[in-house]
């Protein structure tokens, strides 16, 4: 009998703004959900506007979202931010401070993974401020542009590693160490970065 474990809450952009191209990270989530030993629940929502993004991020931050403590944001990105909705509008750029304001302050035991290019190419102090302001235990993502297929494979590996550990500060440190030891080459090739909340500040 498969046991249930903490779930994944995924918000995903329309990657190409082209009806003829249907790229999606759903196969990553479905593969995780079909594990032999564990049953991984997930929620996936397609996001086309900033209003939709705000709605679902706020919903995840509420108590019901605690069943899905891994927030997986699959969007285009730039250093320090993700890009949501119509890029002609100023609000399409969501930086870490914007996201913290949406999430609120009571998110201990949860993590955020940015499945976006370059978002974590930012000063570590910005990331630590985001985690202090929200209570998030850890943040993961990429510092540079990444290949779609290779990063999708890595995200299966990363998520499976996350799912094997409690999302306490000690637990996320073990996740960080496991990725560093067991998947060093791939994570280095992708400029993957994981930052754990600093309890000293």
């Amino acid at each position: 009998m498969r046991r249930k474990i903490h779930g994944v809450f995924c918000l995903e952009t329309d990657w190409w703004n082209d009806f003829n191209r249907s790229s999606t990270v759903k196969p990553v989530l479905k593969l995780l959900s079909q594990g032999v030993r564990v049953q991984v629940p997930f929620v996936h929502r397609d996001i086309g506007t900033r209003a939709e993004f705000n709605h679902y991020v706020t919903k995840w931050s509420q108590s019901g979202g605690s069943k899905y403590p891994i927030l997986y944001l699959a969007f285009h990105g730039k250093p320090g931010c993700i890009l949501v909705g119509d890029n002609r509008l100023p609000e399409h750029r969501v930086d870490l401070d914007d996201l913290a304001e949406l999430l609120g302050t009571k998110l201990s035991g949860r993590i955020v993974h940015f499945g976006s290019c370059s978002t974590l190419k930012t000063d570590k102090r910005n990331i630590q401020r985001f985690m202090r302001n929200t209570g998030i235990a850890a943040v993961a993502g990429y510092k540079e542009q990444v290949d779609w297929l290779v990063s999708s494979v890595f995200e299966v590996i990363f998520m499976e590693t996350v799912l094997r550990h409690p999302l306490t500060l000690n637990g996320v440190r073990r996740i960080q160490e496991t990725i560093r030891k067991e998947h060093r080459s791939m994570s280095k090739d992708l400029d993957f970065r994981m930052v754990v909340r600093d309890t000293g500040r």
Side-chain angles (χ1 to χ4, degrees):
M1 187 176 191
R2 295 191 300 164
R3 60 185 178 87
K4 287 187 178 180
I5 56 175
H6 39 250
V8 180
F9 192 95
C10 178
L11 304 180
E12 182 172 22
T13 190
D14 178 358
W15 292 101
W16 310 114
N17 195 26
D18 180 346
F19 292 138
N20 297 310
R21 301 180 73 177
S22 56
S23 302
T24 177
V25 299
K26 271 188 181 178
V28 171
L29 300 169
K30 289 182 177 179
L31 185 60
L32 289 167
S33 74
Q34 294 169 3
V36 175
R37 291 183 296 277
V38 296
Q39 179 181 347
V40 182
F42 72 87
V43 171
H44 178 278
R45 294 291 182 268
D46 293 310
I47 301 297
T49 67
R50 177 65 186 269
E52 290 173 335
F53 179 81
N54 290 0
H55 171 75
Y56 284 112
V57 163
T58 302
K59 202 169 184 66
W60 177 76
S61 71
Q62 296 166 353
S63 59
S66 61
K67 296 178 183 177
Y68 305 91
I70 304 161
L71 179 61
Y72 180 6
L73 298 176
F75 291 85
H76 293 296
K78 290 185 177 179
C81 71
I82 59 172
L83 307 177
V84 178
D86 189 339
N87 62 13
R88 295 169 297 180
L89 301 175
E91 63 267 23
H92 110 113
R93 183 184 176 103
V94 181
D95 66 23
L96 293 175
D97 291 331
D98 297 329
L99 183 57
E101 187 173 345
L102 286 169
L103 290 174
T105 61
K106 300 178 180 179
L107 295 174
S108 62
R110 303 197 202 188
I111 71 169
V112 178
H113 174 62
F114 292 97
S116 51
C117 295
S118 305
T119 297
L120 291 194
K121 188 178 183 179
T122 187
D123 193 301
K124 189 175 180 179
R125 290 172 293 185
N126 296 332
I127 301 171
Q128 286 292 347
R129 183 174 66 248
F130 168 75
M131 292 189 288
R132 285 197 309 272
N133 289 342
T134 58
I136 293 287
V139 167
Y142 306 100
K143 293 188 289 182
E144 299 294 343
Q145 298 286 320
V146 292
D147 177 84
W148 169 272
L149 185 59
V150 176
S151 63
S152 295
V153 171
F154 179 78
E155 287 179 356
V156 173
I157 294 168
F158 172 68
M159 291 290 181
E160 193 277 333
T161 304
V162 171
L163 293 166
R164 287 192 274 118
H165 295 83
L167 300 183
T168 60
L169 289 178
N170 285 337
V172 295
R173 289 188 190 103
R174 288 197 295 273
I175 294 166
Q176 187 181 50
E177 187 62 21
T178 299
I179 294 295
R180 187 178 292 136
K181 285 183 176 180
E182 297 181 10
H183 308 288
R184 179 186 296 273
S185 178
M186 196 173 191
S187 62
K188 184 177 180 181
D189 288 345
L190 288 167
D191 276 308
F192 174 77
R193 183 182 194 184
M194 183 174 179
V195 182
V196 176
R197 178 160 52 85
D198 187 350
T199 57
R201 303 186 198 182

